[in-house]
Amino acid sequence: MPDLLSPGLRVLFCGINPSLYSAVVGVHFARPGNRFWPAMHASGFTPRRFHPSEQGELKALGLGITNVVDRATASADLLEPGELAAGAKTLERKVKRYRPAFLAVLGLGAYRTAFARPKARFGLQPETLGDTRLWVLPNPSGLNASYQLPDLARLFGELRRAVDAG
C-alpha cells in the first residue's frame, strides 16, 4: 500500500495495517464500513466527506496517511507483536524524514504494543518523535464497535483543534 506522504504535513495519520480490501483497491481506509473518511469530515479535517479514491486531495490540506505495518490482513488482531514493533521502527524513520507536526496513530492497542507504551491513553502522548508530537485515536475500522462515528468525530476533533492551535 503506497504511503501518502510529503514533507512538513500538519498530520500524518497512521493506520495499523491495510485491510485486504484496501490492498486490492490500493486505497487507504477503503472498506465501506470504515469510518475514517466520515470522521475526517465530521471533525473538520476535510471540507466534505471524501471518497477513499480521493485520498490524494489530503496532501493539499497538509494531511497524509501511512500504516504501522504494511502487511494486509482481514483484521489487525492477526498481526504479531514483533511485526508491530518492527513497524514502529520503520514509522520512526518516516517521521524523521518527513517531519509532520503530528503523528496520529489510529489504534490504542497497536500503539501500546508497537511503541512499548502499555499505559498509553487516547490523545496527546508525553513522548515525541523528534519534533513530531504523537497523538493516539481509536481505530476507525467498522470492526471496532466500541467507538461509533460521533465518538470518533469528537476525538478526531480534539486532534484537529490541537493542530489548529499549533
Side-chain angles (χ1 to χ4, degrees):
M1 174 73 63
D3 290 329
L4 186 66
L5 282 169
S6 60
L9 295 170
R10 294 168 53 223
V11 182
L12 177 57
F13 289 94
C14 182
I16 300 169
N17 73 310
S19 69
L20 296 174
Y21 184 84
S22 285
V24 168
V25 300
V27 178
H28 294 275
F29 305 107
R31 280 184 66 160
N34 196 293
R35 284 105 25 117
F36 177 79
W37 299 103
M40 291 291 283
H41 174 59
S43 65
F45 272 114
T46 60
R48 61 180 174 77
R49 182 173 168 181
F50 287 178
H51 185 271
S53 65
E54 298 175 295
Q55 69 182 12
E57 293 186 33
L58 290 177
K59 280 188 180 180
L61 300 172
L63 308 172
I65 304 174
T66 191
N67 289 291
V68 177
V69 175
D70 289 332
R71 183 170 70 93
T73 60
S75 65
D77 63 351
L78 297 173
L79 298 172
E80 297 294 328
E83 285 180 282
L84 290 165
K89 300 282 187 223
T90 301
L91 185 58
E92 286 179 41
R93 288 191 295 274
K94 288 178 191 179
V95 167
K96 288 178 182 174
R97 179 178 178 196
Y98 290 98
R99 301 177 57 163
F102 284 86
L103 173 67
V105 179
L106 306 176
L108 182 59
Y111 178 81
R112 286 174 171 168
T113 300
F115 289 91
R117 301 283 190 249
K119 295 182 181 181
R121 297 181 178 267
F122 290 120
L124 184 64
Q125 303 304 300
E127 60 273 358
T128 62
L129 291 178
D131 293 334
T132 299
R133 291 175 276 179
L134 298 174
W135 198 282
V136 178
L137 291 165
N139 182 348
S141 168
L143 299 175
N144 182 6
S146 299
Y147 291 89
Q148 297 303 312
L149 183 55
D151 304 312
L152 294 171
R154 178 180 52 78
L155 294 168
F156 275 57
E158 289 174 8
L159 170 59
R160 186 196 47 78
R161 287 185 291 282
V163 170
D164 289 350

